[in-house]
Amino acid sequence: MVPEASLEISRRQFLTAAGLTVAAVCFPRYLAAQAGGLVETAFKEAAKAKVTVQNLRRNVSVLLGAGGNIAVLTGPDGKLLVDSEIITARPNVSKALASINADPIKQLINTHWHFDHTGGNEWVHEAGASILAHENTRKHLSQATRVEGNWQYTFPAAPAGAIPSTVFKDEHTLHVNNTTLMLKHYSPAHTDSDISVYFPEADILHAGDTFWNRDYPFIDYGTGGSIDGQIRAAEANIARVTDKTIVIPGHGAVGGKADLILFRDVLVEIRGKVAALKQQGKSLPEVVAAKPGARYDAVWGNLFQNPSDFVALVYQGV
Ligand SMILES: [Zn+2]
């Protein structure tokens, strides 16, 4: 595995995309533009960002682009995808999938409800896939849902074809392409809809947004997320992998157990510092100014969450 190298590539690509002015990006009508903000920027970046294919082990590979990482399982039953990226990434995701083989997409699993993991649901469904997710993913996609923090965006109810047709509550196991997939719900972490997808034969875990590899995570308090839940999920991920397990994060390069441990340690350290300062009566601006993540900010704070946005998310939950 080459987490450092591919991380640098993906970060550079992202920053290049972020610096571009996009003259015209066509959005579906149901996603009427809402002024400014991270979500609008993400739509534009995803339309430009390259999507690369990384082969992992056995019949599992991963697509790395501007939105959530997509796991791809291939075989006689057709392609199975874990997550569907940002809607504007469709042309580049399609191209990447076609570069693997010409097989149709037959199944889609969502790791949680966010737009950068479910944005392609409708077109993937139209291409022939049935959609499986946690019951709270269906709930949040079925109605208008507001996200606060630095998103400040109200997502309208998704179109019917984008809604998962099969949902589960705690655990679900399926067999596709001569491969076992073990799906497991996390107690509320990044949202209340997070699941992991584990491929036991290949020993690959897709942890969705319970794991960000060297990037500060967004935490969606509005749909059940919290810093403490995010830390609990990080602990759960560490407990279930070995040094040989390949771990796909929601964002960032593919990693392993050492990267999960680093992620947990960074969250715990910053949470501890923020909580101590808040207990001393410090205001949010004062805590931000104290730079509790100073050791990590240069690397961890330049993708979706800058250091002050992340400190605000931690401050809210301690
Ligand atoms: Zn997310």
Side-chain angles (χ1 to χ4, degrees), residues 120-159:
N121 276 23
E122 188 182 31
W123 74 260
V124 171
H125 173 73
E126 278 169 7
S130 57
I131 307 176
L132 167 63
H134 186 261
E135 60 184 15
N136 288 338
T137 291
R138 179 158 75 185
K139 181 177 130 189
H140 298 312
L141 289 178
S142 300
Q143 61 199 32
T145 304
R146 175 80 181 162
V147 178
E148 300 292 348
N150 63 346
W151 288 24
Q152 295 293 309
Y153 199 93
T154 301
F155 295 88

Side-chain angles (χ1 to χ4, degrees), residues 245-259:
T245 309
I246 294 173
V247 188
I248 303 172
H251 301 273
V254 173
K257 186 170 189 174
D259 305 296

